Amino acid sequence: MSQFFNDVPVKTPGSEVFPQDDGSLLLLHPVTAQLSVANECGSHIWGLVDGVRSVGGIAEEIRLLFDAAPSSVTSEVETFIMMLLDRGFVQMKGASL
């Protein structure tokens, strides 16, 4: 488990979300207009990013939702949130927004 596990992600204000019929999402960055795709699991993760739950808390919710092994879920959640962070769709609480 990394320190990242205890960090709290916050959505970038103005990010636009376009739900798709297959459960995935299209995310549009408010400044760069970069478009990213989130699969169904990523869609659930995005929905749990509320500025209150830690990455670990989000992973636990996803684990319960999909009845999956904790280690694989934690890895998937951390990877997805890191992608969101790298692309500017989230920041970590306390970091400059």
Side-chain angles (χ1 to χ4, degrees):
M1 171 179 19
S2 66
Q3 171 58 35
F4 185 63
F5 188 80
N6 296 313
D7 291 344
V8 176
V10 178
K11 292 176 182 171
T12 299
S15 294
E16 293 188 53
V17 178
F18 302 96
Q20 303 299 295
D21 292 337
D22 63 358
S24 65
L25 290 178
L26 294 178
L27 301 166
L28 180 64
H29 192 276
V31 176
T32 65
Q34 179 181 13
L35 197 60
S36 291
V37 178
N39 64 17
E40 184 178 1
C41 184
S43 175
H44 287 290
I45 294 168
W46 176 260
L48 292 169
V49 173
D50 59 6
V52 176
R53 288 181 184 94
S54 67
V55 173
I58 293 169
E60 179 61 14
E61 293 285 334
I62 295 296
R63 185 190 70 74
L64 293 171
L65 181 66
F66 289 100
D67 192 28
S71 60
S72 65
V73 169
T74 298
S75 176
E76 185 167 344
V77 169
E78 286 184 345
T79 298
F80 183 73
I81 291 180
M82 185 58 71
M83 181 274 297
L84 292 174
L85 185 63
D86 289 346
R87 294 181 184 178
F89 287 100
V90 301
Q91 296 88 34
M92 291 305 169
K93 197 169 198 174
S96 21
L97 298 175

